[in-house]
Amino acid sequence: MTAVEFINLLISALLLAGLYAAVAVGMTIIYGVMKIVNLAHAGFMMLGAYFNYELFEWLHLDPMAGALLSLPVFFVFGMGVHWLLVRWLPKSDQPTLSSLLLMFGFWLVLQNVGYLIWGNSDRAILTAHRRTLPLGPITIPTAGLVVFIAAVTCLAVLQFILHKSWFGRSVTALIQNPYAAQIVGVDHQKTSQLTFGLGTAFAGFAGALMAMLFSFNPDFGRPFLVRAFVIIVLGGLESVTGVAFGALILALIETFGILFIPAGYQPAISFGLLVVVLLVFPTGIAGLLKRKWRLA
Amino acid sequence: MPEVPEKLLLVENLEVRYGATQVLWGISFSVVKHAVTCIIGSNGAGKTTTLNAIAGVLPVKGGSIRLDGKPITALPSRERVKRHIALVPEGRQLWAGMSVEDNLLMGCYLPALRSRAHLNLSRVYDLFPRLKERRRQLAGTLSGGEQQMCAIGRGLMSEPQLLMLDEPSLGLAPILVEEIFGLIRDIARQGMTILLVGQNIHYTLQVSTYGYVMEVGKIALGGPSEMLLNHEHVRRAYLGIA
């Protein structure tokens, strides 16, 4: 492998990592605050993709604007879903079967509504963004770069919100110690609803971004669910930084893995990684690091 | 006629159960304004449960809790923080991955308190200069004594009229135990109403004015701390003096 090939692969891994982080972060904060494994995340991503598609088809809106618009729309949608369904789940410190089934069932509903509306043929958003940015021998896909920048910017904004706002501190407090959060008066229900809205906003946003890169159908999002699990296991639930870190590792392994195994086996990489990580260090890499500053 | 001390908190026939296990069997006691009241007793007597019930973290099965004469038994914990009841829980319960300053700020989480967050923060820093030095550090990296200060600081951030301290000296080195009790004395001297729970019975009774002895979910004994310190039962069962 030449140096140029290596750099090109490195760049595509980096671009991929940004996208993966945007996918996983919504699941992470929802799991952290509510201990719900949100399987419907894939459904929200699918809706995000079609949302962007419809805006593009009917209003000829730039897909980048559509993706940004998906944030507030899906935030409200997520709050609605929480109000309608999620808040009735029993509270627990552990993921419960009922929450798993509810979110899985809701995903199936979303998927089938998708089939009803859009059928099962693949759609894509075709724009002028599909060029590459040549930098001598190194090429960067423009669409990929734009998506990467959008994803990373949103992650940075989220990081800022979590660290500098009262809402963000209450989210962190609930993730790290729900009992202590209750003692100082954090309203679990209200913070949960906002968090669910935020997580859904990120799912819709990630889906809308991906619609600029990939074709999609109502089953869209499924392969990214496993990847999100791997990223969460690798990076832990503590921070956006952890998610970015997990996303980077997965993207690097997936991208460079293609050199060694046939492309058709690529999805096996994330599955394999999940198994290996759970067997070798079940607390994740973040868990290993965390032991250093765990409270006595 | 001697002045009757004003009672801030009145607990009557309080009952709490965890599932099928009853932990509190109708306990009654009161906390006097601007004084330190303590509850002593051995492990599993129900002291922590009592504080959690007053903080509204645990559901109550029977009895009543009154603050300044008004019943708060049915209020959620958030409403009790609003009425300025603060709990410094057993084992500190800090957010290990948050900075010391963010831990303290969370004590002012309620919207009504937020405008005064920075004022309260500087007050807490005046009381605990060491926390100010370490304000950017993660709370999980603090020593045990500093963590306890941080937990007390968080409690003070919510401008309590009743400060409940659960085993503040647990797991600390003897020199730090002395320091923490010195701090509690300082806070009490400023007129704070404190409900103190402790296994360190000698110190706990010395720092308090009134005390209750709790045994298997009941109040066995109550009175001025000085009296308890010299009470035969307390001396034999808790202080190891025959």
Side-chain angles (χ1 to χ4, degrees):
Chain A
M1 185 169 57
T2 66
V4 171
E5 276 171 353
F6 178 78
I7 290 172
N8 273 332
L9 276 180
L10 204 60
I11 288 171
S12 59
L14 204 63
L15 297 185
L16 196 61
L19 198 58
Y20 282 179
V23 171
V25 78
M27 265 189 107
T28 307
I29 54 171
I30 287 176
Y31 180 83
V33 170
M34 283 165 269
K35 299 290 174 280
I36 290 172
V37 179
N38 184 17
L39 292 172
H41 202 74
F44 296 145
M45 281 165 65
M46 178 273 292
L47 286 183
Y50 278 102
F51 174 79
N52 210 357
Y53 170 82
E54 294 292 348
L55 286 180
F56 177 70
E57 284 291 301
W58 297 105
L59 302 173
H60 305 292
L61 199 66
D62 185 274
M64 200 56 234
L68 287 177
L69 195 61
S70 72
L71 280 166
V73 169
F74 279 81
F75 180 71
V76 173
F77 179 61
M79 298 243 289
V81 171
H82 183 275
W83 181 80
L84 194 68
L85 300 171
V86 180
R87 68 175 167 141
W88 306 108
L89 287 169
K91 251 198 238 168
S92 170
D93 298 340
Q94 298 281 323
T96 57
L97 187 62
S98 52
S99 70
L100 207 62
L101 290 175
L102 175 70
M103 297 330 289
F104 183 60
F106 190 60
W107 179 24
L108 292 182
V109 170
L110 290 180
Q111 232 178 30
N112 284 287
V113 168
Y115 281 120
L116 271 178
I117 302 175
W118 295 290
N120 59 359
S121 58
D122 280 17
R123 309 281 174 101
I125 299 176
L126 299 168
T127 64
H129 281 311
R130 298 196 174 249
R131 277 175 283 139
T132 53
L133 206 67
L135 289 171
I138 297 161
T139 53
I140 302 173
T142 321
L145 187 65
V146 169
V147 163
F148 174 81
I149 292 169
V152 170
T153 308
C154 274
L155 288 174
V157 170
L158 180 67
Q159 172 85 333
F160 185 78
I161 291 173
L162 287 183
H163 277 84
K164 298 289 171 202
S165 72
W166 288 101
F167 163 69
R169 273 193 286 264
S170 77
V171 167
T172 317
L174 275 173
I175 292 175
Q176 292 185 8
N177 191 336
Y179 170 74
Q182 193 185 356
I183 284 177
V184 298
V186 172
D187 187 339
H188 191 285
Q189 202 64 267
K190 197 173 126 205
T191 305
S192 291
Q193 190 180 21
L194 287 168
T195 306
F196 201 87
L198 202 61
T200 309
F202 261 85
F205 177 65
L209 286 181
M210 284 199 287
M212 296 163 67
L213 303 175
F214 312 114
S215 62
F216 46 90
N217 60 37
D219 193 37
F220 184 67
R222 183 195 295 271
F224 294 98
L225 214 50
V226 181
R227 293 194 175 98
F229 288 150
V230 180
I231 290 165
I232 291 170
V233 169
L234 280 171
L237 296 159
E238 296 294 338
S239 63
V240 177
T241 331
V243 171
F245 173 71
L248 187 62
I249 293 182
L250 178 66
L252 282 172
I253 293 178
E254 275 195 356
T255 308
F256 285 91
I258 293 204
L259 295 173
F260 306 104
I261 63 166
Y265 287 103
Q266 204 199 14
I269 293 176
S270 43
F271 268 117
L273 202 61
L274 187 61
V275 173
V276 170
V277 170
L278 287 177
L279 282 178
V280 182
F281 25 81
T283 53
I285 292 169
L288 292 179
L289 297 174
K290 206 170 84 181
R291 263 180 228 157
K292 275 200 252 168
W293 45 260
R294 179 157 296 165
L295 281 175
Chain B
M1 216 173 94
E3 199 186 328
V4 180
E6 212 181 329
K7 281 163 187 164
L8 179 64
L9 188 82
L10 196 64
V11 174
E12 280 175 316
N13 297 317
L14 188 69
E15 285 184 55
V16 172
R17 29 170 71 214
Y18 293 111
T21 323
Q22 184 134 4
V23 184
L24 296 184
W25 299 83
I27 62 167
S28 302
F29 66 95
S30 58
V31 176
V32 169
K33 249 181 204 171
H34 311 303
V36 182
T37 304
C38 75
I39 304 176
I40 58 173
S42 56
N43 246 342
K47 308 184 297 287
T48 298
T49 304
T50 306
L51 293 196
N52 277 331
I54 297 170
V57 183
L58 280 176
V60 165
K61 201 201 136 222
S64 72
I65 306 169
R66 286 169 176 274
L67 184 77
D68 253 341
K70 294 177 204 81
I72 58 165
T73 325
L75 295 178
S77 52
R78 191 171 55 260
E79 291 299 319
R80 303 193 198 195
V81 182
K82 236 179 245 175
R83 282 160 180 75
H84 302 285
I85 296 179
L87 172 62
V88 179
E90 186 178 8
R92 278 94 65 169
Q93 305 289 344
L94 299 175
W95 297 283
M98 275 165 88
S99 71
V100 170
E101 186 149 307
D102 280 350
N103 266 276
L104 292 173
L105 281 174
M106 277 306 286
C108 274
Y109 175 76
L110 287 183
L113 296 166
R114 286 178 197 174
S115 61
R116 292 188 299 281
H118 283 277
L119 180 72
N120 295 352
L121 194 62
S122 62
R123 279 198 196 131
V124 169
Y125 283 153
D126 286 342
L127 193 61
F128 305 110
R130 223 173 324 156
L131 291 183
K132 188 175 188 178
E133 283 166 32
R134 300 180 183 265
R135 65 184 187 277
R136 306 237 171 274
Q137 245 172 271
L138 295 184
T141 62
L142 295 179
S143 72
E146 290 162 346
Q147 284 187 14
Q148 189 60 54
M149 290 176 193
C150 190
I152 295 175
R154 180 178 67 190
L156 292 173
M157 287 291 286
S158 64
E159 306 171 359
Q161 56 169 332
L162 172 64
L163 183 68
M164 301 193 286
L165 301 163
D166 196 352
E167 304 276 12
S169 66
L170 197 71
L172 297 183
I175 181 151
L176 287 171
V177 173
E178 212 151 314
E179 196 180 336
I180 292 289
F181 275 102
L183 281 165
I184 294 170
R185 205 169 276 136
D186 288 345
I187 296 168
R189 219 171 275 143
Q190 290 167 22
M192 180 72 70
T193 309
I194 295 178
L195 177 57
L196 175 65
V197 153
Q199 281 186 336
N200 196 323
I201 284 151
H202 201 77
Y203 271 116
T204 306
L205 283 176
Q206 273 188 339
V207 83
S208 58
T209 316
Y210 303 94
Y212 294 89
V213 180
M214 221 172 154
E215 282 169 4
V216 281
K218 288 174 185 146
I219 299 281
L221 206 61
S225 298
E226 217 166 312
M227 183 273 274
L228 290 177
L229 210 48
N230 295 313
H231 194 279
E232 196 192 343
H233 175 71
V234 175
R235 287 170 74 86
R236 194 173 322 127
Y238 299 104
L239 297 171
I241 307 164

